[in-house]
Amino acid sequence: MPDISLTTLVFLCLAAAAAGWIDAVVGGGGLLLLPAMLLGLPHVQTAQILGTNKAVAIVGTSGAAITYVREAPVQVKTAVRIGLAALAGSMGGAFFAAGISSEVLRPVIMVVLLGVAAFVMLRPTFGTATDAERRTVTRTRTIAAIVLVGGGIGFYDGLVGPGTGTFLVLALTAVLHLDLVTASATAKIVNICTNGGALAMFAYQGTVMWQLAAVMAVFNLAGGMFGARMALRKGSEFVRGVLLVVVFSLVAKLAFDQWTA
């Protein structure tokens, strides 16, 4: 446990709860939690922040996944296949993550976020797939989802992390024609695998602050389970709205941080 003040600990726990809620609704809770940890723990090595973030996130993601599986039409078989590819990819990404600095992280995350926002805004029907579209999903598309979505996004998750859940939702919706709620539910299972692979590598490298992670994980779990229930009640339009609000808010925040750095 790093030597931090009570105020900082409370700030990090609240950020973990909010990130759990965001991650459960639309993915990308790390886009809030990672900047919060970089801000609250400026003297901690980036690799330790990334490793601790994974230890926190896997708990909240697991809680959200359990909630979704109980109540949503999750494609468990497909999710597990993509998840296994993602696990391998995330371990590879985590292996190279030790050399990443916070100065590099901010602009990378900003570019990624702007890309997400542009995609969603240019696709008004995003996340509202019809039955006819779902029937066009071929074996080739499924294999592409396993290799590209699982391996590619998994590698990104291990290397950088923030936005992985959001990218999974986007990719599953685009490639497999899932509606937003189903895509979000399926992404949670995949995200458990990516978090688990990256966490295993970070733990092996000794870059996880386990005591801090345990405290923050409790709040992340509560936020994740609450967010999953809300997404199930309110549907795809609610999820899409949250996605855009989160993306633009975080772009503004990161741009300000980069400008004042």
Side-chain angles (χ1 to χ4, degrees):
M1 183 77 134
D3 185 16
I4 60 177
S5 67
L6 179 60
T7 301
T8 300
L9 181 61
V10 171
F11 166 72
L12 292 176
C13 288
L14 292 176
W21 186 90
I22 293 168
D23 200 52
V25 174
V26 75
L31 290 167
L32 171 63
L33 187 55
L34 185 58
M37 293 182 71
L38 289 170
L39 179 64
L41 304 170
H43 303 299
V44 175
Q45 292 182 355
T46 302
Q48 289 182 295
I49 289 178
L50 291 171
T52 305
N53 175 60
K54 284 286 170 266
V56 174
I58 196 170
V59 175
T61 300
S62 298
I66 291 170
T67 302
Y68 274 123
V69 168
R70 287 175 175 173
E71 302 183 41
V74 183
Q75 298 188 5
V76 177
K77 186 177 180 180
T78 300
V80 170
R81 289 175 176 175
I82 297 173
L84 291 175
L87 188 150
S90 67
M91 292 184 72
F95 180 78
F96 294 100
I100 298 294
S101 67
S102 59
E103 287 75 18
V104 173
L105 281 177
R106 287 196 191 101
V108 168
I109 294 171
M110 285 171 59
V111 171
V112 167
L113 279 170
L114 289 171
V116 170
F119 180 87
V120 175
M121 292 184 70
L122 293 172
R123 291 284 301 274
T125 60
F126 170 71
T128 57
T130 64
D131 291 336
E133 288 176 322
R134 295 189 189 98
R135 286 194 292 270
T136 64
V137 176
T138 62
R139 180 180 177 82
T140 302
R141 277 182 172 269
T142 302
I143 293 174
I146 294 171
V147 176
L148 300 177
V149 178
I153 296 179
F155 183 85
Y156 168 82
D157 189 38
L159 182 65
V160 181
T164 298
T166 305
F167 299 142
L168 284 171
V169 172
L170 289 168
L172 290 169
T173 302
V175 177
L176 299 180
H177 297 311
L178 303 179
D179 64 82
L180 272 174
V181 174
T182 303
S184 187
T186 305
K188 294 297 159 287
I189 298 175
V190 178
N191 216 178
I192 290 173
C193 296
T194 64
N195 284 338
L199 178 59
M201 184 59 67
F202 283 124
Y204 174 75
Q205 295 173 340
T207 56
V208 180
M209 298 178 285
W210 292 106
Q211 290 177 309
L212 177 61
V215 175
M216 293 173 63
V218 174
F219 290 84
N220 192 254
L221 175 63
M225 296 183 73
F226 179 68
R229 291 193 181 97
M230 184 173 289
L232 287 165
R233 286 199 310 268
K234 293 185 177 293
S236 293
E237 282 302 313
F238 170 73
V239 174
R240 186 175 187 273
V242 171
L243 173 62
L244 288 173
V245 170
V246 168
V247 165
F248 283 116
S249 298
L250 287 169
V251 167
K253 173 65 169 62
L254 289 172
F256 177 79
D257 290 344
Q258 185 70 13
W259 183 62
T260 57

